[in-house]
Amino acid sequence: MDQRKTHWEHIYETRLPTQVGWYQEHPQLSLQFIQRTGILPTGHIIDVGGGASTLVDNLLTAGFQHITVLDISAAALQLARQRIGPEAGRVSWIEADITQVDLPDQAYDLWHDRAVFHFLMQPEDRTRYIEQVRRAVRSGGHIIVATFAPDGPPKCSGLDVVRYDPEGLQHEFGPDFELVDSTREDHHTPSGVEQKYMYCYCRKY
Ligand SMILES: C[S@@+](CC[C@H](N)C(=O)[O-])C[C@H]1O[C@@H](n2cnc3c(N)ncnc32)[C@H](O)[C@@H]1O
């Protein structure tokens, strides 16, 4: 098992999903951005590095019919499946590293990532991730990416992160993406620490 996968499997095997620093009972900003895109219930949504997040529960409740959750950790996906119960059968679950997997061409109308892209410290990993978005999201599709903000912590889950402002993230993604909007979040971890996040909403040309 590679180091990255080992790290995340260990996290989800030893911590309750409600105790990890990034836990949100209700992913309000993500849902607001998703609603704002105007995506139809028949639209295809992928939550990249969704882990055991409750975003998928909310998307199911909202009536979305084509939801994919991708994560490097099998344990994380299992936690989400167990929580959701029989409805989990309506979701596509992919256990993979987003920098390694080959997602289908033009398959998604909406790409969501909260706190995954910021772990990619090596430029070649970021390039592979952005290539993946270019290939897997249809033209005109929506991309919502949340990272730690410039005044956020330098580490997440004990790993170094790259912190972004909206312009920095847009620059990283390049001219094939239009920055539509961005916002900040003061996230409070379950242990009460405040962390500054930055959310970007982009469209792919
Ligand atoms: C900080 S957590 C955020 C989880 C979720 N997005 C949320 O907001 O609750 C990062 C997640 O990304 C996953 N992850 C980290 N690196 C990854 C990679 N290269 N490919 C796929 N998933 C990855 C981890 O297993 C973990 O579930």
Side-chain angles (χ1 to χ4, degrees):
M1 228 191 278
D2 72 39
Q3 246 185 340
R4 204 180 259 168
K5 185 169 173 61
T6 307
H7 172 86
W8 289 107
E9 294 295 11
H10 178 72
I11 293 287
Y12 286 106
E13 282 162 7
T14 54
R15 310 266 304 273
L16 286 174
T18 51
Q19 282 178 354
V20 292
W22 51 94
Y23 173 71
Q24 294 176 296
E25 195 178 335
H26 187 69
Q28 193 176 335
L29 274 180
S30 295
L31 288 164
Q32 275 173 10
F33 271 116
I34 291 169
Q35 274 159 12
R36 241 188 83 182
T37 66
I39 185 172
L40 297 172
T42 49
H44 288 67
I45 299 180
I46 183 164
D47 187 16
V48 173
S53 160
T54 57
L55 182 67
V56 57
D57 312 43
N58 284 275
L59 294 176
L60 282 167
T61 304
F64 287 101
Q65 296 160 22
H66 302 287
I67 308 164
T68 299
V69 179
L70 178 149
D71 203 277
I72 198 168
S73 163
L77 296 178
Q78 185 55 16
L79 286 166
R81 273 197 294 257
Q82 270 168 5
R83 183 185 63 233
I84 294 167
E87 289 284 283
R90 292 174 44 208
V91 176
S92 300
W93 304 92
I94 302 178
E95 178 193 335
D97 183 328
I98 193 58
T99 64
Q100 307 290 331
V101 67
D102 275 328
L103 292 172
D105 284 5
Q106 308 285 302
Y108 304 104
D109 301 292
L110 193 151
W111 177 286
H112 175 268
D113 160 349
R114 176 172 178 269
V116 186
F117 183 74
H118 71 186
F119 289 112
L120 303 179
M121 301 297 291
Q122 303 304 323
E124 52 274 22
D125 279 343
R126 294 198 289 273
T127 301
R128 276 199 290 270
Y129 178 107
I130 293 160
E131 268 308 309
Q132 192 83 256
V133 183
R134 257 197 216 107
R135 203 178 50 248
V137 176
R138 69 164 174 81
S139 292
H142 312 277
I143 296 108
I144 298 159
V145 176
T147 67
F148 280 175
D151 52 348
K155 283 182 186 277
C156 180
S157 185
L159 303 174
D160 289 335
V161 297
V162 184
R163 293 169 287 182
Y164 293 94
D165 59 17
E167 292 70 30
L169 194 79
Q170 207 280 329
H171 179 75
E172 199 67 52
F173 270 64
D176 291 351
F177 299 88
E178 178 201 3
L179 176 62
V180 181
D181 200 6
S182 64
T183 192
R184 287 167 57 90
E185 176 181 54
D186 293 336
H187 171 68
H188 295 270
T189 70
S191 58
V193 176
E194 189 182 84
Q195 295 179 331
K196 310 276 190 196
Y197 278 72
M198 185 282 303
Y199 286 64
C200 271
Y201 165 32
C202 299
R203 288 200 79 164
K204 190 187 143 195
Y205 285 120

